[in-house]
Amino acid sequence: MKILLAGANGYIGTRLIPILLEKGHTVVCMVRDKRRFHEQNDYSERVTLLTGDLLKKESIEAIPLDVDAACYLVHSMAQAADFAALEALSAHNFAQALNKTNCKQVVYLSGIVNDTGLSDHLRSRRHVEDVLKECKAAITVLRAAIIIGSGSSSFEIIRDLTEKLPIMTVPRWVYTKSQPISIRDVLGYLEGVLLNENAFDKTFDIGGPDILSFKQMMLVYAKVRKLKRYIITIPFLSPKISSYWLYFVTSTSYSLAQSLVDSMKNETIMKNHDIDGVVKRDCLGYEEALQLAFKKIEQNSIVSSWKDALNNGYLTSRFMDQIKVPQNGTLEYKVKQPFNRDSADVLKNIMAIGGSRGWYYWDWIWSIRGFLDKLFGGVGSRRGRTSNISVSPGDVIDFWRVLLADKLNSRLLLYAEMKLPGEAWLEFKIIERNGKTFLSQVATFRPRGLWGRMYWYLMWPFHLFIFKGMARRIVNFEEAQR
C-alpha cells in the first residue's frame, strides 16, 4: 500500500513510520520542512517527502494520485489559545488536498468523547472528525484516552508529579476515571485498520484493559518505582489554580496545562468494543505500559517526545532557515577557550549539554532562571531533552530549542524559548587555527526596546562567571566526573 502520513514529525507519526516500512508499505510523509526530517530520521531515504504547512493550503505540495490511505496525526492543542480553530482549518485544508487523489481511506486518531459537557480539547477532536468527513475517502476514527509511552505528554506529567512530590495536594479531578492505552497498542490499531474494509466509515474506542482514576495511575506509578507517595485531595481548587499547579510542578506549558485540566473533568472510558471484531489485540495493562516506557528511557531509546512540537512565534515551519545568527542590532558575549584534548570528546560534551547532564557550571543559577521563566508564563527549564546521547534540529534542551546540531562542522546552535525582552541565541563551535584548537562560545541577544538593553546589562555580571565557567568545564569534563 502507499500510505500518506500527515504529522510525520510528531509523537505518533515518528513511531508509526518504521512499522509501516517493516510491513513493506510505501510511505509518503507530509512535513513542514524536509531538512528537519532528514536530520531526525535514519530512514528518511526510504520514504517520499512532501512539504506542506496545513494551516497554509497554498504551501501543500501535490499529493500523489495513487495514494491508497492516509493517516491524519495532526494536533495543535499545545501551540495556541485558539487551537480549536487551528485544528479545524488544518483538517479542512488536508481534506481539500486529499480529494484530488484516489485515496480510499483516512484514519484519524481522536480522543474518547463518551462523556457529557466535553472540554474544549475533546470538543475540538470531535469537530475535526466531522471536518474530515469532507474527504471523499472512507473515514476511520480511533478514539483513545490517555496514551502511555516514553515521551508522551500523559506519561511525562504523571512521571513529573509522582517523582517530584512525596506529598501531593490535588484537586477533585484526580478521581476522574480513564482507560489508558500503551503507545505500542495505539500503533498496532493504527496499522491494523489501514485499508481494512471492516473499518471503513466507522468510529472505534480503543483502550487498555485497566480503568483507573488519575490518583490510581499516580499510585501505581509510585508502586512500580518503589516510591511512597501520599495524595491529599483539596476539593475547592479551581481549574485555574489547578492549571497553574500543573504548570509549575511539571514540564508542561501553561496552555497545555489549561487544556489538560479542562479535559480531566471528562471520563474517557470505552463505551463500545467493536474494535475487537476488526483488529484482534491483547493490549498491555497500565503497569506493563509503564515498565515498557521505563525500559526505553533506560536504554536512551526514546523515539519521539511531545515536547519537541514547535511553538508558534519565531520557530515557525521554516525555523531551519534561521541557522545564521543575526549580526545587526545585537549584543554579544564571547568566550574562546583553548584545549589540548581530542576534539571529538569536547564535541560529545557540547552535544550532551542540558537535561540530566546539566549546564556544567552553576546549575543552580540555570534552575532559578527556569523557575523565574515559569513565573512569567514561559516554558521553564524542566523540559529536559528527549535523548541524552543524540540531538537533532527542532529538539528541546530545557528552555532552548536546537536550531543546528552539525557534528561534521562541530557546531551546536540554540535559540531561547524562555520569556525575554528580545531574542537570544547560544552557539558552541570548535575552531582549529594556527595549530591551536578552541571552543568558541557566543551568546547573542537582540534586545527589544530600552527594557531589552537594560535586561542585557543587568545580566552582564552573571555572564562573566557563567559563560567562562561553562566553557572551561565543557573542554575539561570527563564522563567519570559524574
Side-chain angles (χ1 to χ4, degrees), residues 93-375:
N93 289 341
F94 179 74
Q96 297 304 307
L98 200 66
N99 281 342
K100 299 174 184 176
T101 74
N102 299 317
C103 182
K104 304 177 188 69
Q105 181 197 29
V106 177
V107 178
Y108 173 53
L109 181 62
S110 185
I112 290 180
V113 289
N114 297 324
D115 207 354
T116 56
L118 293 176
S119 67
D120 291 343
H121 162 214
L122 292 176
R123 195 180 304 114
S124 176
R125 294 288 188 270
R126 180 67 184 82
H127 181 55
V128 168
E129 295 177 21
D130 292 333
V131 174
L132 287 175
K133 289 176 183 176
E134 297 174 11
C135 292
K136 295 175 184 176
I139 304 294
T140 300
V141 178
L142 296 179
R143 293 174 171 172
I146 286 177
I147 297 175
I148 300 297
S150 58
S152 78
S153 58
S154 301
F155 170 78
E156 293 296 342
I157 286 170
I158 292 169
R159 181 185 182 193
D160 275 353
L161 290 172
T162 314
E163 294 278 0
K164 293 172 182 174
L165 300 175
I167 301 174
M168 283 178 263
T169 54
V170 295
R172 283 177 296 186
W173 51 252
V174 295
Y175 292 107
T176 303
K177 292 191 177 294
S178 183
Q179 196 159 352
I181 182 170
S182 77
I183 182 62
R184 176 178 291 186
D185 293 316
V186 171
L187 296 171
Y189 281 127
L190 285 168
E191 193 272 328
V193 299
L194 277 169
L195 283 186
N196 184 333
E197 292 188 5
N198 294 322
F200 282 15
D201 289 319
K202 290 182 180 175
T203 298
F204 303 100
D205 291 347
I206 59 174
D210 302 319
I211 297 174
L212 302 166
S213 68
F214 291 99
K215 179 178 180 178
Q216 288 172 316
M217 281 188 261
M218 288 188 284
L219 290 175
V220 171
Y221 180 101
K223 172 191 157 193
V224 170
R225 296 285 288 158
K226 296 181 172 54
L227 300 170
K228 270 199 172 182
R229 293 295 181 260
Y230 302 92
I231 299 176
I232 303 166
T233 308
I234 300 178
F236 53 81
L237 283 179
S238 69
K240 189 165 188 177
I241 293 174
S242 297
S243 299
Y244 277 116
W245 177 78
L246 201 61
Y247 167 64
F248 279 110
V249 174
T250 72
S251 57
T252 186
S253 66
Y254 181 69
S255 60
L256 182 56
Q258 274 186 309
S259 298
L260 291 171
V261 167
D262 189 32
S263 299
M264 285 170 178
K265 68 186 180 185
N266 294 120
E267 287 199 339
T268 48
I269 300 171
M270 294 174 68
K271 288 290 177 70
N272 73 72
H273 292 263
D274 296 346
I275 190 65
D276 296 339
V278 178
V279 180
K280 295 195 180 296
R281 189 170 184 87
D282 293 324
C283 292
L284 297 176
Y286 175 67
E287 191 168 329
E288 293 174 289
L290 287 178
Q291 290 169 338
L292 181 62
F294 294 140
K295 187 176 180 181
K296 294 293 183 184
I297 293 168
E298 288 164 5
Q299 294 172 346
N300 278 308
S301 56
I302 301 175
V303 178
S304 59
S305 172
W306 71 275
K307 291 177 282 192
D308 292 330
L310 297 181
N311 299 311
N312 285 341
Y314 177 86
L315 289 180
T316 60
S317 59
R318 302 296 296 178
F319 80 95
M320 288 184 72
D321 291 337
Q322 309 297 335
I323 60 174
K324 184 173 175 59
V325 179
Q327 300 296 314
N328 296 325
T330 60
L331 301 164
E332 290 183 336
Y333 186 84
K334 297 180 179 180
V335 177
K336 188 182 283 187
Q337 180 67 42
F339 62 89
N340 297 313
R341 62 186 299 196
D342 188 343
S343 294
D345 292 334
V346 176
L347 181 60
K348 278 184 184 177
N349 290 341
I350 292 171
M351 296 298 178
I353 200 165
S356 60
R357 173 69 65 89
W359 292 86
Y360 295 101
Y361 189 75
W362 281 13
D363 261 0
W364 58 276
I365 285 284
W366 293 93
S367 297
I368 291 172
R369 183 62 184 88
F371 175 73
L372 292 174
D373 192 52
K374 280 277 190 180
L375 283 179

